[in-house]
Amino acid sequence: MYYDYGDVFDSVFTAIKSNNKGYGDYYITVDLSQYFSIREFDKKTGQFKGDNVTDIIKNYVVLKFHYDANGARSSRQSLFGSIGCNPKYDLSNSTVDISYWQGKLVYTLDENSKLDGKEVFAYRFSDMYNGYFLSYTVDAKKFLEKLTNVTININLQLAEIEKRTGKNVLGIDYNGLESVQYSWIQL
């Protein structure tokens, strides 16, 4: 019978999986005699010579392994780039859904919003465009920059602002929302 390296590795993996030591770092001895035999080849007959000595020679290998309860996260952690004979075994952070444990705070800001009792938006008049542009106030920017794991939605109804204040609001200032992450803006 002929064997290949797949058979050898299958024996090694079986020895690791079936160890009775549990999880941790261990050395085990694996008998690989069935895969390695030394026989004399007869050139005249083209056959291997039979004998009764090679079957009693034992070939052992000492194997150091680490067996972990958490297992491996990717096939790159394997010596041969394959886990369970699957080279595509892989879990990356992009495929693991961790959103189930995260709480997000959602801020929906409009022209009347206040944070810590202070106005969120300030008006800046532009002579060039003959109208006003909105931007975060310094206090609002400082407050929002400190927040983590937050969703900020901005809802500005420009026509409603003009009706209420009499100011011709043209939009958001060039650096008006700088350095604060937001999810969406509705004008």
Side-chain angles (χ1 to χ4, degrees):
M1 179 172 225
Y2 293 100
Y3 300 101
D4 62 12
Y5 280 108
D7 298 311
V8 175
F9 292 130
D10 183 55
S11 291
V12 169
F13 291 138
T14 301
I16 292 170
K17 287 179 185 177
S18 63
N19 84 83
N20 62 355
K21 305 278 188 191
Y23 301 120
D25 293 310
Y26 300 103
Y27 290 93
I28 58 172
T29 304
V30 181
D31 181 7
L32 300 177
S33 298
Q34 68 184 29
Y35 304 116
F36 302 101
S37 295
I38 301 171
R39 296 221 172 118
E40 185 178 354
F41 185 74
D42 187 355
K43 291 181 183 178
K44 292 179 186 174
T45 63
Q47 301 287 323
F48 289 100
K49 291 183 181 180
D51 63 59
N52 60 358
V53 178
T54 57
D55 289 337
I56 61 170
I57 297 174
K58 293 290 185 181
N59 295 299
Y60 291 101
V61 63
V62 175
L63 177 70
K64 179 182 179 182
F65 69 94
H66 176 81
Y67 196 63
D68 198 315
N70 296 325
R73 285 184 46 91
S74 74
S75 59
R76 292 183 309 273
Q77 292 174 298
S78 168
L79 179 64
F80 303 104
S82 177
I83 295 177
C85 298
N86 180 7
K88 294 182 180 177
Y89 177 88
D90 203 2
L91 295 175
S92 66
N93 288 338
S94 63
T95 59
V96 177
D97 181 19
I98 59 170
S99 62
Y100 65 90
W101 63 268
Q102 293 182 346
K104 276 197 169 193
L105 185 61
V106 178
Y107 279 104
T108 301
L109 304 174
D110 62 21
E111 67 276 1
N112 298 319
S113 295
K114 294 185 180 194
L115 295 171
D116 274 349
K118 298 175 184 171
E119 296 291 328
V120 173
F121 293 103
Y123 296 91
R124 180 186 67 83
F125 184 77
S126 169
D127 288 327
M128 178 184 270
Y129 295 106
N130 194 28
Y132 290 89
F133 290 96
L134 290 172
S135 64
Y136 284 133
T137 63
V138 174
D139 292 331
K141 188 183 278 190
K142 285 180 184 177
F143 181 88
L144 294 171
E145 283 176 340
K146 292 178 187 177
L147 298 177
T148 58
N149 207 16
V150 65
T151 299
I152 299 173
N153 302 324
I154 300 171
N155 185 8
L156 299 172
Q157 304 296 324
L158 301 182
E160 294 297 319
I161 295 172
E162 187 171 352
K163 282 182 191 175
R164 192 176 51 78
T165 63
K167 296 179 179 179
N168 180 24
V169 179
L170 302 171
I172 297 172
D173 213 347
Y174 179 73
N175 293 330
L177 304 178
E178 184 179 46
S179 73
V180 177
Q181 295 293 323
Y182 52 87
S183 294
W184 58 264
I185 298 175
Q186 180 177 344
L187 298 175

